[in-house]
Amino acid sequence: MTDYLSRLYEDEQFQMAAEDTLRPGGLELTRKAMGIAGFPVDSRILDIGCGCGKTVELLIKDYGMQAMGIDISEKLIQKAKSQNNALEVQVGDVYDLPYADQSLNGIFCECTFSLFADKPLALAQINRVLLPGGKLIVSDLYLREKTGECSGLPMITSVDGIATRDVLLTEFTAAGFKLDAWQDETTVYKEFIAGLIMKYGSLSLFWESILGTCEKAYSVKESMKTAKIGYCLSVWEKINLPNL
Ligand SMILES: C[S@@+](CC[C@H](N)C(=O)[O-])C[C@H]1O[C@@H](n2cnc3c(N)ncnc32)[C@H](O)[C@@H]1O
């Protein structure tokens, strides 16, 4: 993850603008995912990139799950703890998950997967800690069309940028996952962007607050326009070990 993004997620103004969660869809999208995944009560669920811990809290309080979270940002883990000290959240990296092999029923990656530069390694770790038949829930940005250049995007997302559904399907299948459900949720992405415009005054001012200069902000904004970005909610089931 780039420094720009760490600064963004740890920024109080962005946290206030994004409200409960640091991503499109909020806890409503998490509830939708829970409806699709159908975990039995008391399932062990990990939220990777848990941010301020809102999903972990929801899974425990409203669904009776044994939920926990990790995030690479010490500041965000501190914030989660300061809001609810009982939460089992810790600093951790997707590339080195601090959990035993086949010990979890489910994993959430809510607007985090596109940030992972080494996606096969991230998926191999997720596969390792999930039980056979365990579910991986990914809500994230995706490319609705292959057309359009993403130049400028790697600066703010991961090295690989954001992928199409077909590319994701190939990556997840190679990593031992089967697609159970895929829903386009671009409406919540548009609402999220509209919320940022309201809070920051304009999209340019939002980008400037992360990227610093008007020039950079302009080029990222233009790339985002041509790239036909959407948002998806997907549920994957672990069916075998990755083909490494
Ligand atoms: C868009 S925010 C989403 C936060 C949270 N899922 C939510 O719904 O509010 C992305 C989060 O992923 C975390 N992150 C990025 N790279 C990570 C990594 N390699 N391992 C663990 N967390 C990571 C960031 O620190 C950030 O909190």
Side-chain angles (χ1 to χ4, degrees):
M1 190 174 56
T2 61
D3 288 349
Y4 293 119
L5 279 181
S6 315
R7 270 212 313 273
L8 173 67
Y9 302 138
E10 291 171 356
D11 181 67
E12 294 278 336
Q13 191 188 1
F14 177 71
Q15 288 172 13
M16 274 164 62
E19 295 174 2
D20 267 357
T21 56
L22 310 174
R23 59 174 164 90
L27 293 178
E28 266 322 296
L29 199 57
T30 310
R31 287 199 174 89
K32 208 179 217 185
M34 285 300 283
I36 299 170
F39 293 114
V41 173
D42 223 23
S43 295
R44 275 171 60 79
I45 314 277
L46 170 66
D47 183 16
I48 300 178
C50 64
C52 303
K54 294 298 171 193
T55 290
V56 176
E57 199 166 42
L58 176 88
L59 297 181
I60 296 168
K61 277 195 183 154
D62 288 15
Y63 294 93
M65 301 287 133
Q66 288 183 51
M68 59 218 115
I70 63 153
D71 199 288
I72 201 148
S73 161
E74 210 171 320
K75 272 196 188 159
L76 289 174
I77 291 297
Q78 270 169 16
K79 177 148 188 180
K81 283 273 184 198
S82 73
Q83 289 175 346
N84 183 346
N85 197 34
L87 289 186
E88 202 183 309
V89 291
Q90 59 177 310
V91 176
D93 195 332
V94 68
Y95 302 126
D96 186 19
L97 291 177
Y99 300 95
D101 294 359
Q102 305 197 5
S103 58
L104 302 172
N105 305 94
I107 290 189
F108 273 81
C109 284
E110 296 180 302
C111 209
T112 55
F113 191 78
S114 62
L115 303 172
F116 304 149
D118 189 341
K119 293 181 172 63
L121 180 57
L123 285 170
Q125 277 287 303
I126 290 170
N127 186 308
R128 176 183 70 74
V129 299
L130 272 180
L131 284 154
K135 302 274 170 90
L136 166 61
I137 290 150
V138 177
S139 58
D140 216 324
L141 301 166
Y142 78 107
L143 280 183
R144 283 182 293 149
E145 284 176 29
K146 220 175 156 201
T147 54
E149 277 301 308
C150 267
S151 58
L153 281 180
M155 181 167 59
I156 57 149
T157 60
S158 67
V159 176
D160 295 330
I162 302 164
T164 60
R165 182 185 188 275
D166 285 352
V167 168
L168 291 169
L169 197 56
T170 305
E171 282 174 352
F172 280 63
T173 306
F177 291 91
K178 170 176 92 59
L179 182 60
D180 274 359
W182 176 284
Q183 293 186 4
D184 181 83
E185 297 288 348
T186 303
T187 308
V188 297
Y189 170 65
K190 288 183 177 163
E191 284 166 6
F192 187 74
I193 297 291
L196 291 179
I197 292 171
M198 302 258 290
K199 302 272 172 34
Y200 283 78
S202 75
L203 210 48
S204 300
L205 288 173
F206 165 68
W207 288 121
E208 276 170 45
S209 81
I210 315 167
L211 301 169
T213 73
C214 290
E215 214 176 287
K216 268 187 199 160
Y218 179 78
S219 90
V220 172
K221 200 179 80 175
E222 288 308 299
S223 303
M224 295 292 273
K225 260 193 217 158
T226 48
K228 302 252 186 309
I229 289 173
Y231 205 76
C232 68
L233 169 61
S234 59
V235 180
W236 307 81
E237 185 180 337
K238 169 178 164 174
I239 52 169
N240 48 36
L241 297 172
N243 304 321
L244 290 177

